[in-house]
Amino acid sequence: MHPSISQSKKIRSGQNIVFIAGKPEELPGDHFSAKELQYIRKEFKDSKRDFFTFNNLDQWLFVRFIREDKNEYKILEEMRKAGDLLGKTISDQKIKEIVLYNCTGSKNTIIAFTEGLSLGSYSFRKYKTEKEKDTLKGPFPENIGVYSAGLGKNDLTELSVIIEAVFRCRTLINEPNSFLSATVFAREVKQMAKECGAKADVLDKKKIEALQMGGLLAVNRGSLDPPTFPVMEWKPANAVNKKPYVFIGKGVVFDSGGMNLKPGDSMSTMKDDMSGAAAVACAVYAIAKMKLPVYVVGLMPATDNRPGPKAVVPGDIIRMHNKLTVEVLNTDAEGRLILADAITYAKKYDPALVIDLATLTGSAVRAVGKFGIVAMEEDAENELGLLKESGWRVYERLVEFPSWEEYGELIKSDLADLKNVGPGEGGAITAGKFLQKFAEFPFIHLDIAGPAFLENADSYRGKGGTGVGVRLLVDFIRNITKK
Ligand code: BES
Ligand code: ZN
Ligand code: ZN
């Protein structure tokens, strides 16, 4: 459950209020006594204090000052974090209703604050016993009112959709493989499509075999569950584009590494290996629910990756959907195999641009950690520029890695056309290069392995699945409608 967000047209007495302001002079006079205001002014100036709490028995008043920064993106991120921080007090005190009172002139500021407060309230409690659930009964807050000048008609409804989409994405990621098989994932995608008015179609094992998707089938060979390949399509009559934007998400519902079994603890978070597919499903969901006039398609090849008597073994040579042959030297480099087939499949849509999202490499994690998405492009320089801007706006930042052809040389096989691993160095790049070999259109690859899943909460990003990619893609598409 996410908090409900709506516009407050006026303030009623006794409401819990958060005042968001640049400086004390901006606070409205009628909510504080002269003494309180004096106190705020002094503390703000002398102690550089920017957060105040007043508990007036029946009413909570909070004041949050936001200091100026030259970088607008940083201000917005500060606001999200401030929203999350306030959320901690709100849930400690079990406050259900809160009004956010915007004293600044900027609506983006209040939207970011609302976003951080809402996103920070997420929790995954499905597997907690009822008793414990009751004591925690949330969410806190349950209702957020926003009192602000300059809000557009759609600002808060669109924000609500985004929050809902990120929550759904996180839950899909947090669901363990014991619930979320590739089959169940496909069912969830269908359900979401139904709710948002998008079209959904699931390629089943038979169809995947008929299409000779050798990559997806090879990864699935050790599994007891069949692979699936859900496709979501949002094609509104008023679309601004003829050729679609196609998003592809890695849907490895559990990655054991296969025959190259992952060692030690490195397997423990691998239910998150479908974070790319979840982000794609939830981004298309949000875009459709907002009825954005853009034609988008989501492709989500899904399977688990396991050892087993029939599993693909190192040295096997497989034939991909586009007929290229691949020498599988490491079965833990499975993501690129299923994505490559999906990239080939995207061709039938004659796409304007294809973007893939994948928890693809440990190499990307080592390079940038949880703070960045590794991005590579081919024939999509302008589009990557726009995506980077979106990355700053939503603070899911991109760092570009090179697509130099020398890296492509590293994945040529002696026996087949390609091999699925290069040498140790530049692992995130050779993985991206592998995918590019299958793209015959403008293509952006996003390796989200770093930020997709957190073992410790990072402000409003929370613990577990973060939903990274959802806000990024939605902002990117929304931005296209504004051009
Ligand atoms: N799913 C992993 C990548 C990953 C690692 C995601 C850590 C999130 C956190 C991927 O399938 C994988 O195992 N990649 C290997 C590739 C290697 C064998 C070339 C890796 O990065 O170690
Ligand atoms: Zn793997
Ligand atoms: Zn993987």
Side-chain angles (χ1 to χ4, degrees):
M1 266 292 284
H2 63 95
S4 112
I5 304 167
S6 57
Q7 194 169 359
S8 284
K9 289 274 161 62
K10 67 171 201 247
I11 302 288
R12 291 189 308 274
S13 72
Q15 282 185 308
N16 304 313
I17 310 175
V18 190
F19 297 91
I20 292 144
K23 47 184 183 294
E25 290 69 37
E26 291 176 0
L27 293 173
D30 50 349
H31 289 274
F32 301 94
S33 67
K35 222 171 144 192
E36 284 169 338
L37 278 176
Q38 200 184 7
Y39 173 78
I40 292 173
R41 269 197 291 271
K42 186 164 181 327
E43 287 279 302
F44 176 79
K45 194 155 161 271
D46 298 350
S47 321
K48 302 255 174 282
R49 194 170 145 191
D50 56 13
F51 186 61
F52 297 81
T53 305
F54 299 90
N55 182 4
N56 301 336
L57 296 177
D58 64 329
Q59 179 189 37
W60 288 88
L61 296 181
F62 303 96
V63 178
R64 174 72 209 217
F65 292 111
I66 183 77
R67 291 174 198 268
E68 293 200 348
D69 193 304
K70 283 190 193 67
N71 183 332
E72 202 206 333
Y73 303 129
K74 276 193 189 163
I75 297 180
L76 294 181
E77 181 65 359
E78 277 308 305
M79 290 313 286
R80 291 185 197 99
K81 288 184 178 169
D84 173 74
L85 205 61
L86 175 85
K88 301 287 172 278
T89 309
I90 287 182
S91 69
D92 284 350
Q93 301 298 333
K94 303 204 184 306
I95 297 171
K96 291 220 158 188
E97 320 270 333
I98 189 100
V99 176
L100 311 181
Y101 189 131
N102 188 12
C103 311
T104 76
S106 148
K107 80 166 181 186
N108 289 345
T109 306
I110 195 85
I111 290 176
F113 190 93
T114 314
E115 183 172 51
L117 172 59
S118 306
L119 289 175
S121 75
Y122 175 86
S123 67
F124 182 65
R125 297 210 207 98
K126 180 175 162 191
Y127 297 96
K128 295 279 189 187
T129 53
E130 282 307 316
K131 228 174 165 182
E132 196 171 341
K133 249 191 211 164
D134 284 345
T135 63
L136 291 167
K137 243 199 178 87
F140 301 105
E142 206 162 73
N143 290 302
I144 303 174
V146 182
Y147 182 80
S148 172
L151 280 178
K153 198 165 99 259
N154 289 331
D155 287 334
L156 295 181
T157 46
E158 295 200 345
L159 179 63
S160 292
V161 172
I162 289 170
I163 307 294
E164 192 208 340
V166 172
F167 276 30
R168 292 184 90 136
C169 183
R170 289 176 178 179
T171 295
L172 283 170
I173 297 165
N174 292 334
E175 278 288 4
N177 185 223
S178 52
F179 171 80
L180 201 88
S181 62
T183 305
V184 172
F185 176 69
R187 193 187 73 202
E188 296 284 321
V189 170
K190 273 203 139 164
Q191 173 61 29
M192 291 202 346
K194 206 167 131 192
E195 287 177 39
C196 70
K199 213 177 97 187
D201 192 22
V202 177
L203 312 183
D204 60 7
K205 185 170 181 185
K206 249 186 157 165
K207 191 80 206 276
I208 292 164
E209 279 169 347
L211 290 166
Q212 298 180 310
M213 292 187 167
L216 180 53
L217 289 165
V219 175
N220 182 253
R221 259 170 45 192
S223 174
L224 293 172
D225 300 324
T228 62
F229 191 136
V231 176
M232 262 173 116
E233 200 174 329
W234 168 245
K235 190 179 187 181
N238 61 347
V240 297
N241 55 331
K242 273 219 167 61
K243 294 175 161 204
Y245 293 90
V246 176
F247 305 141
I248 300 178
K250 173 177 174 183
V252 174
V253 290
F254 181 71
D255 182 12
S256 71
M259 295 306 284
N260 292 97
L261 203 62
K262 285 184 182 292
D265 248 1
S266 64
M267 208 191 290
S268 66
T269 56
M270 282 300 133
K271 66 175 182 183
D272 81 341
D273 214 17
M274 35 58 75
S275 297
V280 166
C282 296
V284 176
Y285 172 83
I287 290 162
K289 211 163 176 189
M290 290 178 190
K291 297 199 176 352
L292 296 181
V294 185
Y295 177 19
V296 295
V297 174
L299 306 179
M300 294 150 275
T303 176
D304 55 333
N305 180 29
R306 283 179 200 260
K310 291 196 170 163
V312 63
V313 297
D316 279 356
I317 295 175
I318 60 174
R319 191 177 288 280
M320 307 292 283
H321 181 37
N322 76 345
K323 304 284 182 259
L324 282 182
T325 54
V326 175
E327 189 183 7
V328 180
L329 288 173
N330 189 320
T331 63
D332 199 11
E334 82 297 341
R336 64 199 74 181
L337 300 176
I338 74 171
L339 290 165
D341 280 348
I343 292 166
T344 303
Y345 190 72
K347 202 179 155 191
K348 79 169 212 175
Y349 294 95
D350 187 20
L353 170 69
V354 172
I355 304 176
D356 87 277
L357 287 86
T359 46
L360 202 61
T361 63
S363 165
V365 185
R366 287 189 293 277
V368 290
K370 66 183 177 186
F371 301 113
I373 297 172
V374 167
M376 289 166 63
E377 61 82 20
E378 193 171 61
D379 196 22
E381 208 182 319
N382 287 337
E383 291 90 339
L384 182 56
L386 293 172
L387 199 62
K388 281 180 186 169
E389 274 176 34
S390 289
W392 277 108
R393 265 197 298 277
V394 304
Y395 237 67
E396 295 182 350
R397 291 165 294 177
L398 272 52
V399 37
E400 185 173 354
F401 278 22
S403 287
W404 302 327
E405 62 197 34
E406 286 82 350
Y407 292 102
E409 297 297 316
L410 302 176
I411 46 170
K412 286 195 170 150
S413 159
D414 292 338
L415 306 181
D417 299 323
L418 294 169
K419 54 186 179 186
N420 77 331
V421 281
E425 59 281 12
I429 305 175
T430 47
K433 256 345 247 188
F434 183 93
L435 300 180
Q436 284 179 4
K437 304 256 180 200
F438 295 80
E440 299 172 18
F441 28 68
F443 178 61
I444 294 174
H445 161 59
L446 301 178
D447 193 331
I448 58 170
F453 192 91
L454 303 177
E455 295 195 60
N456 295 298
D458 175 22
S459 179
Y460 64 90
R461 286 180 185 85
K463 199 178 154 141
T466 61
V468 70
V470 176
R471 295 191 301 125
L472 177 72
L473 292 180
V474 173
D475 186 89
F476 177 73
I477 292 300
R478 222 191 198 170
N479 200 37
I480 284 166
T481 66
K482 288 175 185 156
K483 291 236 145 75

